[in-house]
Amino acid sequence: MRADAKKNYDQVLAVAAEVVAEQGADASLRDIARRAEVGLGTLYRHFPTREALLEVLLRTTMDELTRKATDIEATCAPDEALLTWSRLAVAFTHTFRGVVDLMATAMDDENSALHASCTKVRADGARLLLRAQDAGLARKDIDGADLLSLIAALGWLNDQPSFAPRAAHLFDVIADALLIAKPHSP
Amino acid sequence: MRADAKKNYDQVLAVAAEVVAEQGADASLRDIARRAEVGLGTLYRHFPTREALLEVLLRTTMDELTRKATDIEATCAPDEALLTWSRLAVAFTHTFRGVVDLMATAMDDENSALHASCTKVRADGARLLLRAQDAGLARKDIDGADLLSLIAALGWLNDQPSFAPRAAHLFDVIADALLIAKPHSP
DNA sequence: ACCTGAACACCGTTCAAGT
DNA sequence: ACCTGAACACCGTTCAAGT
């Protein structure tokens, strides 16, 4: 990449991070280009779709989430691992407003820049869920897609001012539904 | 209302019902006015905000939901009543795409044309929940706002093509979490 | 009273013209 | 190679001018 191109790319990304943090995933691309002091065409050259731009903004955090899945699996009991990771996954959806809708759309679109990352998150969750199920600690009538749906639904609640205050408590309620109480040791 | 005004009002409403059913709550008002063969200003005269228009489209169904709450309460056991009504409430959010976001926004805005109706739904749910709780059939650490949040979250899942297939099953999973198993009679 | 549509301030997206 | 911004086709919202 040419030096001037690289500079524009970085500038757009930096400004986009700010604007998206303020206004969410549907922030005006025109506004981002303007604040980045870059032609609108330049933004489109580097990021052919809105999702391509947001994908870069999310990549670091998503990679971290995957890394943490491995860590947690290695260090926690199956039930605790499932819950801890699920909590992190919900927290990830609060990177900025609209992440959850973005994920839902990406899951349904093979061509989305975010499709692979979202599938990875689902796979990580499925693995932790299966581990808890095998240990007899999680109910067996749900799968990775169900888990991701629940995480997304809880993430959506957090995006709504009127429902957000309930999200943390409802996470616990739903967690209760997923886990099977461990019988007390004698 | 003058006869010509009434005719325009009805025409806009009829067309809006169609267009919103097809495209969801964020359908183009311009498009609705065009298809209704009415000036854009006429649409705004009769429905000063988008919510005012959607409120009329939802009123019938919402009133029905309230009526059914009373029926169900009168005829069903407390736990069955809670579940049956909750299922209807989720179904209501599928009147058209975007109802759930509309409700979330309306709950947070006293001035919304939908605020009163949404509060009513929450109150109906709260009543049925309390009845089940008093009968020892529902867990006591949730309230009407929690129930509405769960209903909205399940409604949101149904709006997402990638998550919708899970919604029915997840309703049952969450229902399990809300209800307390009735002890078998001896 | 009511209707109309132009006017204004925004979008997203594309692409010819420039360096 | 890369950048620019005008151009196009859309929005929502308001309001002067008409009947």
Side-chain angles (χ1 to χ4, degrees):
Chain A
M1 184 146 52
R2 235 164 60 176
D4 57 341
K6 166 87 172 134
K7 196 190 140 198
N8 280 333
Y9 178 92
D10 291 343
Q11 182 63 13
V12 167
L13 216 52
V15 170
E18 265 184 58
V19 175
V20 166
E22 282 166 26
Q23 312 188 7
D26 51 356
S28 161
L29 298 180
R30 232 194 189 80
D31 191 30
I32 292 172
R34 228 158 14 213
R35 293 212 218 175
E37 292 172 314
V38 146
L40 193 44
T42 302
L43 186 151
Y44 273 93
R45 157 171 280 265
H46 290 302
F47 307 101
T49 68
R50 169 179 239 104
E51 280 185 332
L53 173 57
L54 297 172
E55 193 271 338
V56 178
L57 290 182
L58 287 174
R59 177 165 287 293
T60 313
T61 319
M62 289 190 99
D63 287 348
E64 240 176 83
L65 185 61
T66 287
R67 200 173 43 68
K68 284 178 185 166
T70 316
D71 285 2
I72 289 167
E73 188 176 4
T75 57
C76 298
D79 52 351
E80 195 194 322
L82 177 60
L83 255 54
T84 303
W85 180 85
S86 295
R87 230 180 283 271
L88 288 175
V90 173
F92 154 74
T93 66
H94 310 146
T95 308
F96 49 80
R97 235 173 331 111
V99 167
V100 131
D101 295 83
L102 221 51
M103 284 177 64
T105 309
M107 288 300 306
D108 203 43
D109 175 13
E110 299 255 353
N111 297 353
S112 164
L114 281 158
H115 186 78
S117 320
C118 290
T119 304
K120 186 77 177 76
V121 171
R122 186 180 57 189
D124 291 340
R127 202 177 65 244
L128 291 168
L129 174 61
L130 194 62
R131 183 163 164 258
Q133 285 169 333
D134 284 348
L137 297 172
R139 59 192 289 165
K140 295 216 159 108
D141 64 346
I142 61 167
D143 63 9
D146 293 319
L147 181 61
L148 189 68
S149 297
L150 287 172
I151 287 167
L154 287 165
W156 179 81
L157 286 177
N158 252 307
D159 269 1
Q160 313 302 321
S162 51
F163 296 143
R166 309 291 163 162
H169 180 224
L170 292 175
F171 181 96
D172 295 333
V173 170
I174 291 175
D176 270 5
L178 298 189
L179 296 187
I180 297 167
K182 205 190 260 180
H184 290 284
S185 9
Chain B
M1 185 145 52
R2 237 163 62 175
D4 57 342
K6 166 86 172 135
K7 197 190 139 198
N8 280 333
Y9 178 93
D10 291 343
Q11 182 64 11
V12 167
L13 216 53
V15 170
E18 267 184 57
V19 175
V20 165
E22 281 168 25
Q23 313 188 8
D26 50 357
S28 160
L29 297 180
R30 230 194 190 81
D31 191 31
I32 292 172
R34 230 160 10 214
R35 293 211 218 175
E37 291 173 315
V38 146
L40 192 45
T42 303
L43 187 151
Y44 274 93
R45 156 171 281 266
H46 290 303
F47 307 100
T49 69
R50 168 178 241 107
E51 281 185 330
L53 173 58
L54 297 172
E55 193 270 339
V56 178
L57 290 181
L58 288 174
R59 176 164 288 291
T60 313
T61 320
M62 289 189 98
D63 287 349
E64 240 176 82
L65 186 60
T66 287
R67 200 175 43 68
K68 284 178 184 164
T70 315
D71 285 2
I72 289 168
E73 189 176 4
T75 57
C76 297
D79 53 350
E80 197 193 322
L82 177 61
L83 253 55
T84 303
W85 179 84
S86 296
R87 229 181 284 271
L88 288 176
V90 173
F92 154 72
T93 67
H94 310 146
T95 308
F96 50 80
R97 235 174 332 112
V99 167
V100 130
D101 294 83
L102 220 52
M103 284 176 65
T105 309
M107 289 300 306
D108 203 42
D109 176 13
E110 298 255 353
N111 297 353
S112 163
L114 281 158
H115 186 78
S117 321
C118 291
T119 303
K120 186 78 179 77
V121 172
R122 186 180 57 189
D124 291 340
R127 202 177 65 245
L128 291 167
L129 174 61
L130 194 62
R131 183 164 165 257
Q133 285 169 332
D134 284 348
L137 297 172
R139 60 192 289 165
K140 295 214 159 110
D141 65 345
I142 60 167
D143 63 10
D146 293 319
L147 180 61
L148 188 69
S149 297
L150 287 172
I151 288 168
L154 286 165
W156 179 80
L157 286 177
N158 252 307
D159 269 2
Q160 314 302 320
S162 52
F163 296 143
R166 309 291 163 162
H169 180 225
L170 291 175
F171 181 97
D172 294 334
V173 170
I174 289 174
D176 271 5
L178 298 190
L179 296 187
I180 296 167
K182 206 192 259 179
H184 291 283
S185 12

